[in-house]
Amino acid sequence: MASIGDFDPLHANIPATKVEITISGRNLLDRDTFSKSDPICVLYLQGIGNKEWREYGRTEAIDNTLNPDFVRKFLLDYFFEERQNLRFDLYDVDSKSSNLSEHDFLGQAFCTLGEIVGSQGSRLEKPLVGIPGKKCGAIILTAEELSNCHDVVAMQFCANKLDKKDFFGKSDPFLVFYRSNEDGTFTICHKTEVVKNTLNPVWQAFTIPVRALCNGDFDRTIKVEVYDWDRDGSHDFIGEFTTNYRELSRGQSQFNVYEVLNPKKKAKKKKYINSGTVTLLSFAVETECTFLDYIRGGTQINFTVAIDFTASNGHPAQPTSLHYMNPYQLNTYALALKAVGEIIQDYDSDKMFPALGFGAKLPPDGRISHEFALNGNPHNPYCQGIEGVMEAYYRSLKSVQLYGPTNFAPVINHVARYAASIKDGSQYFILLILTDGVISDMAQTKESIVNASCLPMSIIIVGVGPAEFDAMEELDGDEIRISSRGRYAERDIVQVTHCRHSFNRG
């Protein structure tokens, strides 16, 4: 029991809990002519002060379905004393563009986080609205409070003698994992890749947080369904089995060979045995440390800035330039630097930041450089605080000539050289790249990122200005892990964002 001395109203934390939101759609509009819609859901949060809607995140897109169950979840802090307004917009994805205006709108729903959490079974179903005269279907939102378990499990499965579902070939099997809920329903938590034309597939190993698999309850039922993939989205059900985390944690053994059963077949055929078997090949658990775990453990954050000085930004003397040296207000680059830098600098103990430029001709001989020190000292490119970086940036604008091309690899390699020298986890490196557009050295940049993916470093690429940044999105490994010359990045170290909506030079 807590004693009276434990209660300190002056130092109490704001009551919050981590909540995971799972999204499904039902009977969505079909906006495709020759197939079904390929839906994606976008979540927006409403600001408390200005009431502005801000995008929080997107699910994956699912091909050819009007009844999607999205695997990607949204993690939110639930403050039970606040009204947290949410908006869910659904789109039919028609291209690889991240620009939502290029996709067909399927409808939207508004609610509060409290509504979802407070619904029976924390499951809220709402009609989608937003297209006059059309029934847009419904959205199903499920919330679950997350445990503090930080373990991640790596598993691999194979199957044997699955049922043949394709007329001209064998099956194209994949697995779908669900965790059970207290009300008897199931929530999707993972899908494997499809293995083509085989009844004996071996799926790639995958990692999943234990929180996502069973939320820390080792005896909670986990259901696994086996499907034969079909291009039109009408995947054929082969069968299913159930297990739990405790059972899986025994690893490869006779306990983790599962009969795949199809209830309809079993009811019809007296001699039915099973639709094949699925075997667990490997199981390994590791604890995933959080950012705060590392900071508490004494890890030092090193923050490096790299700024695009290519001619496509426009001449700094012109008001239309993204580098415009306006005496009365910050230009787009300065705004982006200030916004990101002021957050990151709090974690950098010495507040000394290397600041680099790329894509300019340097005095006195006009040589082109893609890795020059903004303060003019290549042996000591450090600036004191974000204000020191801003001063060096403005000084560089007066002395260098904007040129090109837009090469990222040199500045990535610059930071990677320092990161490679740290082996004990005592330091972590963050590279912020501010740029106005298309990368000229995409192949070299990918290779640099793949090489750096095993190092203690991350890269934040912020696109500034009105250009489209679709090509840069492939550097962000959220959807597809980046690769170079057949090698895949060991982890996703790149985050791409743009600030053209946030910063208006007026």
Side-chain angles (χ1 to χ4, degrees):
M1 249 176 88
S3 66
I4 292 172
D6 292 335
F7 177 66
D8 181 356
L10 295 178
H11 295 94
N13 291 325
I14 297 171
T17 185
K18 282 266 185 230
V19 171
E20 178 189 81
I21 305 295
T22 300
I23 301 170
S24 296
R26 293 295 177 262
N27 304 313
L28 302 183
L29 282 173
D30 192 357
R31 302 299 291 264
D32 288 350
T33 310
F34 298 109
S35 60
K36 300 189 184 85
S37 292
D38 307 318
I40 190 171
C41 183
V42 185
L43 168 60
Y44 295 86
L45 307 186
Q46 190 173 41
I48 293 171
N50 58 12
K51 300 297 180 187
E52 186 182 307
W53 288 103
R54 295 210 166 175
E55 183 178 327
Y56 181 80
R58 304 180 184 190
T59 66
E60 76 282 13
I62 302 181
D63 291 344
N64 292 321
T65 181
L66 305 182
N67 299 290
D69 294 310
F70 296 105
V71 176
R72 189 172 297 160
K73 322 289 187 191
F74 295 120
L75 299 182
L76 297 171
D77 284 318
Y78 171 48
F79 302 97
F80 61 80
E81 83 292 1
E82 286 183 14
R83 181 181 175 87
Q84 293 170 267
N85 292 322
L86 312 178
R87 185 180 106 211
F88 298 87
D89 289 5
L90 280 94
Y91 289 86
D92 169 28
V93 174
D94 290 320
S95 69
K96 288 185 177 179
S97 173
S98 61
N99 187 345
L100 292 171
S101 65
E102 294 184 18
H103 308 293
D104 293 323
F105 180 63
L106 296 176
Q108 63 185 178
F110 297 84
C111 67
T112 66
L113 185 53
E115 267 185 274
I116 307 173
V117 172
S119 298
Q120 189 169 1
S122 294
R123 181 184 185 277
L124 177 66
E125 184 165 344
K126 296 204 78 164
L128 291 166
V129 297
I131 303 178
K134 295 252 187 188
K135 286 189 175 179
C136 301
I139 190 169
I140 300 167
L141 306 165
T142 311
E144 178 158 3
E145 184 178 345
L146 290 179
S147 72
N148 287 321
C149 176
H150 289 155
D151 288 350
V152 174
V153 62
M155 295 187 284
Q156 185 174 20
F157 290 86
C158 70
N160 228 356
K161 297 181 179 175
L162 295 177
D163 284 353
K164 180 176 179 292
K165 290 287 184 180
D166 290 347
F167 191 70
F168 292 111
K170 296 168 182 167
S171 295
D172 305 317
F174 67 97
L175 302 177
V176 185
F177 290 74
Y178 302 85
R179 66 165 185 254
S180 61
N181 302 315
E182 288 179 10
D183 62 358
T185 60
F186 286 88
T187 298
I188 190 168
C189 53
H190 182 74
K191 268 184 200 172
T192 68
E193 80 282 8
V194 176
V195 182
K196 291 290 187 73
N197 200 28
T198 179
L199 304 181
N200 302 295
V202 179
W203 289 282
Q204 291 174 18
F206 64 90
T207 57
I208 183 170
V210 173
R211 212 163 48 184
L213 197 60
C214 64
N215 205 10
D217 177 359
F218 291 178
D219 296 306
R220 177 189 273 210
T221 298
I222 297 165
K223 181 172 74 167
V224 183
E225 293 179 343
V226 188
Y227 286 92
D228 166 40
W229 177 85
D230 282 327
R231 188 178 299 279
D232 65 1
S234 60
H235 311 307
D236 298 318
F237 178 68
I238 294 175
E240 64 186 17
F241 62 91
T242 59
T243 181
N244 58 49
Y245 181 87
R246 197 179 301 283
E247 202 70 40
L248 292 168
S249 64
R250 295 185 183 192
Q252 189 179 25
S253 67
Q254 74 268 29
F255 301 106
N256 280 316
V257 179
Y258 299 94
E259 286 192 281
V260 177
L261 299 175
N262 185 325
K264 286 186 179 175
K265 271 194 164 186
K266 195 173 183 182
K268 281 182 184 175
K269 296 182 179 180
K270 285 185 180 178
K271 291 185 178 179
Y272 177 79
I273 300 172
N274 60 48
S275 294
T277 59
V278 169
T279 301
L280 176 68
L281 292 176
S282 63
F283 182 95
V285 183
E286 55 186 58
T287 298
E288 192 175 67
C289 295
T290 66
F291 177 70
L292 282 179
D293 290 334
Y294 283 106
I295 296 298
R296 289 191 197 109
T299 297
Q300 296 296 312
I301 301 295
N302 297 290
F303 177 48
T304 301
V305 178
I307 296 177
D308 183 339
F309 280 78
T310 56
S312 56
N313 287 283
H315 195 282
Q318 300 295 325
T320 52
S321 171
L322 297 170
H323 284 305
Y324 179 46
M325 297 179 71
N326 187 330
Y328 305 110
Q329 68 182 82
L330 298 176
N331 66 30
T332 312
Y333 275 91
L335 280 168
L337 176 59
K338 202 168 174 12
V340 181
E342 286 184 346
I343 295 167
I344 295 175
Q345 73 172 355
D346 289 343
Y347 300 100
D348 191 311
S349 54
D350 66 4
K351 304 288 188 285
M352 294 296 291
F353 305 129
L356 309 172
F358 58 91
K361 281 186 172 182
L362 307 188
D365 55 357
R367 69 181 177 86
I368 300 166
S369 175
H370 298 290
E371 184 192 349
F372 62 91
L374 293 190
N375 65 4
N377 185 346
H379 304 295
N380 184 15
Y382 290 85
C383 301
Q384 178 67 57
I386 291 302
E387 290 306 317
V389 176
M390 301 272 263
E391 285 173 29
Y393 160 61
Y394 283 124
R395 273 203 310 274
S396 285
L397 282 176
K398 292 175 183 175
S399 63
V400 306
Q401 180 189 340
L402 271 57
Y403 203 69
T406 308
N407 292 351
F408 284 8
V411 292
I412 294 173
N413 293 337
H414 176 102
V415 175
R417 284 195 292 275
Y418 290 93
S421 67
I422 305 299
K423 310 286 187 190
D424 59 0
S426 62
Q427 297 184 55
Y428 195 87
F429 296 80
I430 295 173
L431 170 61
L432 171 64
I433 300 176
L434 302 177
T435 182
D436 79 322
V438 181
I439 305 168
S440 307
D441 65 338
M442 182 62 88
Q444 293 90 333
T445 294
K446 284 184 174 180
E447 185 166 9
S448 297
I449 291 168
V450 170
N451 291 338
S453 66
C454 60
L455 301 175
M457 71 176 279
S458 292
I459 303 164
I460 303 168
I461 302 174
V462 178
V464 299
E468 286 297 329
F469 297 97
D470 293 354
M472 266 191 330
E473 294 290 346
E474 64 180 291
L475 298 179
D476 192 327
D478 289 346
E479 296 287 343
I480 301 167
R481 186 62 57 89
I482 193 170
S483 64
S484 171
R485 302 189 192 190
R487 279 175 60 221
Y488 281 85
E490 289 191 18
R491 59 193 183 92
D492 175 17
I493 65 167
V494 180
Q495 184 65 44
V496 176
T497 185
H498 355 119
C499 61
R500 62 170 175 262
H501 303 302
S502 312
F503 306 133
N504 186 348
R505 300 194 308 286

